[in-house]
Amino acid sequence: MALTAADTCTDDSRVDIARTFTEKEKRLVHIRWTDIICHADWTEHGDVTCPEFLSIGWIVSEDAKEIKIGNTLNEEGIPYGITAFPRGCVLEVTDVI
């Protein structure tokens, strides 16, 4: 996705996030997910909990096994900076725009 003059506000102060995206453009989402944690010290089990994280990117692919997002789009709209999330770790997927 390349930004053009049509993507900015009339006063050129910022990108206009209210614009509509074509179906060809990737879906921008944030993914809330959890991860494994291990303590190699004397921490008791009640004090050990899996951390939660939030990642933002454009969905590249999704299936029953995993969701992949890219955090950067080049000039042609091709996503890079790919992160693959196992479905079992994904708590929520929310559209940003």
Side-chain angles (χ1 to χ4, degrees), residues 37-48:
I37 191 166
C38 175
H39 287 266
D41 57 18
W42 292 99
T43 304
E44 294 190 18
H45 73 83
D47 296 327
V48 178

Side-chain angles (χ1 to χ4, degrees), residues 13-49:
S13 63
R14 63 179 174 81
V15 173
D16 184 3
I17 60 170
R19 77 178 183 90
T20 56
F21 289 82
T22 65
E23 285 186 328
K24 189 174 181 179
E25 292 177 311
K26 306 289 184 265
R27 194 172 133 213
L28 182 61
V29 298
H30 74 252
I31 297 178
R32 191 169 59 90
W33 57 285
T34 189
D35 203 359
I36 297 166
I37 191 166
C38 175
H39 287 266
D41 57 18
W42 292 99
T43 304
E44 294 190 18
H45 73 83
D47 296 327
V48 178
T49 59

